Every structure is written in C-alpha cells, then in structure tokens.
Amino acid sequence: MRKTQATFKLGIEFSNWGDIGERYFHAFGQIGRSTWMGDFQHLWQHASSLGWGGELQDYCFELQAAKAGKFDKDKANYAYHLDAGLYASFLSELSQKRGVKRIEGTIESIAMDSENGHISNLVLKNGTSVQGDLFIDCTGFKGLLINGALGVGFEDWSHWLPMNSAWAVQTEGKKEIPPYTKSIAHDASWQWRIPLQNRVGNGLVFCSDYTSEQDALQLLTDNLEGDMVSQPRLLKFKTGKRNKTWFKNCVAIGLSSGFLEPLESTSIHLSQISATRLVQMFPFNGMDEVLQTHFNNYVDGEVDSIRDFIILHYNLNRRSEPFWQHVATMDIPDSLQHRLELYKRTSIAFKNDLDLFRVDSWNQVMLGQGIKVEGYHQMGRLIKDDNLRQAFNDLQEHINSTVEGLPMHADFLRQYGVLDLHRKP
Ligand SMILES: Cc1cc2nc3c(=O)[nH]c(=O)nc-3n(C[C@H](O)[C@H](O)[C@H](O)COP(=O)(O)OP(=O)(O)OC[C@H]3O[C@@H](n4cnc5c(N)ncnc54)[C@H](O)[C@@H]3O)c2cc1C
C-alpha cells in the first residue's frame, strides 16, 4: 500500500444515477442476515410491507462505515484504491527480484511458425529476437499479438455500453480520505473521484455521440474539488471482448482481451484473475485446445456477468435527457433481462459460480437504481412480527455501535503504517 499510495475502498457512492438528486451506495459487504430459505432482502420487504424496517442499506456494516468515513481492516470487506502506474512498477520490481527477466523494447514485427500458425518470436526495434513457447499479449487496446498476428476478432459491445471516451486528471490530496469511490452522473457522462493517499484521481467518462471532448473537459474541470496537479489526459476506448482470449500459443490479458468501462473498476481484477487462471491451467504438455476452451469459458463467464452488472446501472434509470432515455430503452442482453424480470417479480437476486458480484451487490444496484418489485419470498411471515422487529433492531444497533468505535479512514491508514504521518494534505 505504501508503494502504490493505496487507500481502502468499501464501495462506490452513486449520485444522480437513478434520477437527479438521488444517491445510493454499492458497498462490498453483506446486508443483514440471510437464511437457507432466502436472502435478507425478502425479510426487509416483508418488514416494509408492515410499515417499518427503514432502508435496506441500514443493515450493511460496510455501507454505514463508508458513510461515516470510517474503516477497520479486520472488520470490513474491502477493495483497494491504488495508483495503477505505481502498482505496475511495484509488480515489475517484485517479479524481477524473483527471477523474471525483463527485456525492454518496442515490438516491430512478429514471426510466425508456418507449420502450426503459432507465434515463434517477436522482433524488437533494436533487432533483438525474443523467442517463446507461450506469449501473453499485454499490448493494451492494440492487441498486437492476439489480433495483429493471430487475427482474433473483437465482439463490440458499444450498443450496450456506448461510453467511448474519458478525460482523466489528478487533483491534490485531502486531509480526510473517504473510504469509497464517488461516481456522479451528469447529462450524458459520469465523473469519478478516487481518493489516494497523496492525491485524488478524477475523470469523466462520456459518449462522443452526445458530448464533445471540449464540453466534457469543461464539465470535469468545473466539478473538481481541488487544484489540478496533472494535465488532463484524453483516453479513447471501445467496449467489448476478444472473441477468444487464448488462441494458439497466445493469451491476451488486460486491455488486449477486452474492455469494460471503469464504472465498477473491474479491469485490474480481470487481469489478475486471468493471470491466476493461467497459472492454474498452465499448458505443461503443450498447447491443448480443450484446455484453451476451458480457460476461454471462464474468462467469458466472468466478463459477461460484469458487463451485465455495468449495463444494469444505465438501463434502470428514470432520467429524462436523451442519453439516459436511450440507455433506458435499449435492448439488453438476455442474461440481464432474465435477472431483471426475476428480481422485479420475486426479489430474487443470485450469484453464479463465475460472477464477481455477490447477491447484495445486485440488490443494492437494482434497488438503488429504483426498480419496483412486485413480489418477494414470504419467509418473513414465519417469524412473529415482534421477534422480527427485535432482530432488525439488534442488527442495526450492532452495526451502529461497531461503526461508532471505528477510527476515521485516514487515522486507520496512519495506525496501519501506510500513511506518512507528516503528509501535508
Ligand atoms: C478511462 C479508464 C479508466 C480506468 N479505470 C480503471 C479502474 O478504476 N480500475 C481498474 O481496475 N482498471 C481501470 N482501467 C483499466 C486499467 O487502466 C487497465 O486495466 C490497465 O491499464 C492495464 O492495461 P494493460 O496493461 O492491458 O494495457 P496498457 O496499460 O495500455 O499497457 C499496454 C502496454 O503495451 C505497450 N505497447 C504497445 N505497443 C507496443 C509495442 N509495439 N512494443 C512494445 N510495447 C508496446 C504500451 O507501451 C503499454 O505499456 C481504466 C482504463 C481506462 C481507459
């Protein structure tokens, strides 16, 4: 954490997403207590029908801690905010210390084995040839190996996720460090604020069909909370997935394998999980199509489900601007349509094996975006009203008293030894 200026992340606060003026959290914790019969939201729906029970989020510890700006590593489920550039340097240093050999250079051409169509070696600008049995394509959006050399195409998802550009800029660090990301929706864009130890990462993701680059930059700079400490950078991207992430003797990891916009900050996770899976499914006996299909099925399952989760944020909105109307009325993947219908009718949210997001993530975003449910499991009727009310009160009291005893996030970082005591905000 010291090397990457990292902070802890309990979730994301979404503002203006369901409608202007609305706010909700996607926190990484569990909500209430579930039973074998059904998840907590059914009990909460039952309580709501009786006229009490408050908001579902009142029963999520991580969410209440985030709202209070507090944190304790031993008590919460969390992720990290980190500086991706520093993280790359950290991993590079770590792996070279452990024996990885690094050859720096620009790939100028890629030589192929004419017999089996595999990549045989990379030729660098300075003439060096790098041979290998297995190549990992980490060349970003270019996909020089997987696409350039092997011609594996790309499944375009921009009809579901039309954002295609972003401005990114850093602002000065702050004294208080919220343990969560902020995501603020605008007319045809959304803005992120990611607090690190020494600075705040900011950006505006937009769709060039609806907002010009200049207007997007103006909107971002008008809505910054501190002074800029870097020049704004424009990034262009296309949302979608490589048709096969492992093909022949090449595995695409990172942006060469596809891209989902950073709404739920999932790219680095996807790179990491792909690297882990490659270790688990390493081709010790040479390239094997069965193994490759198995690997590709995992990647597809993981990415498709994250894609659906991100589309959900856009599709369930009640805003009136043309962009929001467009995404509210567009066709969505069948897999998401099924989830939405099921939730609307029954309040059932589910997590498949390859899903990154848990039941309570789906719950929070569906309800946060304003879905209206028509039914729920009647398990609450098996419990006497007074007992249920008592159980709900106990849960809330436990959460509130635990949150009260937590340190503020910046103080926790100091105690934990990662935040410089003499840091100037
Ligand atoms: C707007 C935006 C916001 C993001 N926010 C998040 C977030 O919040 N959370 C998250 O997890 N992820 C986020 N990501 C994704 C994250 O930035 C990427 O996962 C990360 O950069 C890793 O990408 P990569 O290494 O695959 O590609 P890149 O970072 O693009 O690296 C590709 C590398 O290939 C090199 N290269 C290209 N051509 C050649 C050549 N001919 N020879 C040699 N080298 C070459 C380039 O120099 C570069 O170093 C975001 C991305 C964008 C665009």
Side-chain angles (χ1 to χ4, degrees):
M1 289 187 76
R2 252 183 245 121
K3 294 232 169 160
T4 60
Q5 294 290 345
T7 63
F8 291 103
K9 172 176 177 180
L10 290 169
I12 307 169
E13 181 196 62
F14 290 96
S15 301
N16 303 334
W17 275 84
D19 207 347
I20 296 172
E22 289 183 3
R23 206 161 67 114
Y24 72 92
F25 259 93
H26 166 207
F28 301 148
Q30 194 186 327
I31 302 182
R33 291 237 174 85
S34 296
T35 76
W36 66 268
M37 213 183 292
D39 291 312
F40 181 77
Q41 75 267 17
H42 301 286
L43 294 174
W44 172 75
Q45 293 280 11
H46 176 68
S48 295
S49 76
L50 299 173
W52 54 271
E55 300 294 327
L56 185 65
Q57 50 184 243
D58 297 343
Y59 304 92
C60 179
F61 166 69
E62 282 76 3
L63 201 153
Q64 297 307 323
K67 274 187 173 170
K70 295 180 163 190
F71 185 81
D72 185 335
K73 190 179 172 302
D74 294 330
K75 297 198 167 84
N77 286 305
Y78 59 87
Y80 299 101
H81 296 124
L82 47 79
D83 179 323
L86 294 178
Y87 185 51
S89 307
F90 169 76
L91 291 179
S92 171
E93 194 182 314
L94 182 87
S95 44
Q96 285 177 79
K97 267 190 206 151
R98 294 184 183 184
V100 168
K101 186 176 167 204
R102 179 163 191 256
I103 305 164
E104 171 120 27
T106 303
I107 302 163
E108 198 152 70
S109 63
I110 300 166
M112 310 297 289
D113 182 323
S114 56
E115 267 177 33
N116 57 13
H118 285 195
I119 296 172
S120 60
N121 56 297
L122 311 178
V123 182
L124 306 185
K125 216 171 192 170
N126 64 7
T128 313
S129 170
V130 183
Q131 283 186 312
D133 300 316
L134 175 72
F135 290 86
I136 298 176
D137 188 338
C138 300
T139 62
F141 286 123
K142 288 184 190 166
L144 280 182
L145 281 67
I146 194 83
N147 178 243
L150 294 172
V152 179
F154 187 79
E155 191 179 327
D156 186 342
W157 286 340
S158 46
H159 53 297
W160 287 320
L161 292 167
M163 297 308 200
N164 56 15
S165 314
W167 281 105
V169 70
Q170 295 160 16
T171 51
E172 58 193 0
K174 292 180 131 194
K175 192 158 173 268
E176 294 301 336
I177 303 176
Y180 58 91
T181 297
K182 288 189 183 178
S183 167
I184 305 152
H186 298 293
D187 288 4
S189 57
W190 66 271
Q191 181 184 347
W192 77 76
R193 277 192 203 130
I194 299 179
L196 299 183
Q197 293 175 30
N198 58 336
R199 62 169 173 82
V200 179
N202 303 269
L204 189 101
V205 174
F206 62 100
C207 172
S208 56
D209 296 346
Y210 291 83
T211 308
S212 71
E213 286 171 11
Q214 273 321 307
D215 288 351
L217 180 59
Q218 191 65 49
L219 187 60
L220 176 63
T221 47
D222 287 348
N223 284 285
L224 293 174
E225 279 187 334
D227 289 342
M228 287 195 269
V229 293
S230 70
Q231 283 301 315
R233 250 182 343 128
L234 180 66
L235 303 144
K236 298 281 209 181
F237 51 81
K238 184 148 88 175
T239 299
K241 178 181 69 173
R242 192 65 56 199
N243 290 338
K244 282 182 180 169
T245 46
W246 188 345
F247 184 64
K248 304 249 181 208
N249 65 335
C250 174
V251 184
I253 294 187
L255 301 180
S256 61
S257 72
F259 183 66
L260 285 166
E261 62 158 279
L263 187 57
E264 286 283 348
S265 303
T266 40
S267 284
I268 293 172
H269 166 82
L270 283 170
S271 297
Q272 192 147 330
I273 197 88
S274 281
T276 308
R277 293 234 190 278
L278 182 58
V279 172
Q280 289 166 341
M281 301 180 198
F282 203 77
F284 291 103
N285 299 323
M287 297 308 132
D288 179 334
E289 278 188 25
V290 176
L291 183 65
Q292 295 176 5
T293 304
H294 190 56
F295 179 90
N296 289 336
N297 288 345
Y298 267 93
V299 174
D300 286 352
E302 277 153 356
V303 176
D304 291 359
S305 135
I306 295 175
R307 173 203 65 198
D308 284 3
F309 190 58
I310 296 177
I311 298 173
L312 172 68
H313 298 65
Y314 286 101
N315 185 239
L316 277 186
N317 85 79
R318 285 156 286 115
R319 293 187 57 147
S320 58
E321 300 93 329
F323 169 79
W324 293 101
Q325 284 291 304
H326 167 70
V327 289
T329 51
M330 67 186 173
D331 283 339
I332 56 173
D334 292 345
S335 43
L336 178 58
Q337 190 68 48
H338 169 71
R339 273 190 195 270
L340 277 170
E341 286 301 322
L342 182 70
Y343 199 80
K344 257 186 219 160
R345 291 184 203 178
T346 66
S347 295
I348 291 176
F350 62 92
K351 178 186 181 308
N352 287 326
D353 278 356
L354 295 178
D355 292 349
L356 169 63
F357 293 105
R358 293 182 285 193
V359 165
D360 284 325
S361 294
W362 291 95
N363 264 323
Q364 290 174 81
V365 176
M366 297 240 205
L367 293 170
Q369 291 289 141
I371 200 169
K372 292 274 171 280
V373 300
E374 293 155 11
Y376 51 89
H377 195 289
Q378 296 293 314
M379 63 202 241
R381 288 166 62 183
L382 297 173
I383 309 168
K384 280 193 188 138
D385 289 356
D386 285 350
N387 292 354
L388 193 61
R389 202 185 266 258
Q390 186 62 48
F392 271 50
N393 285 343
D394 290 350
L395 271 171
Q396 263 194 38
E397 264 169 38
H398 179 65
I399 289 173
N400 294 342
S401 63
T402 314
V403 168
E404 208 168 307
L406 298 181
M408 294 303 285
H409 182 215
D411 292 335
F412 182 85
L413 289 169
R414 259 178 225 111
Q415 287 161 23
Y416 193 53
V418 295
L419 187 64
D420 180 2
L421 279 173
H422 307 293
R423 177 186 80 113
K424 289 201 186 90

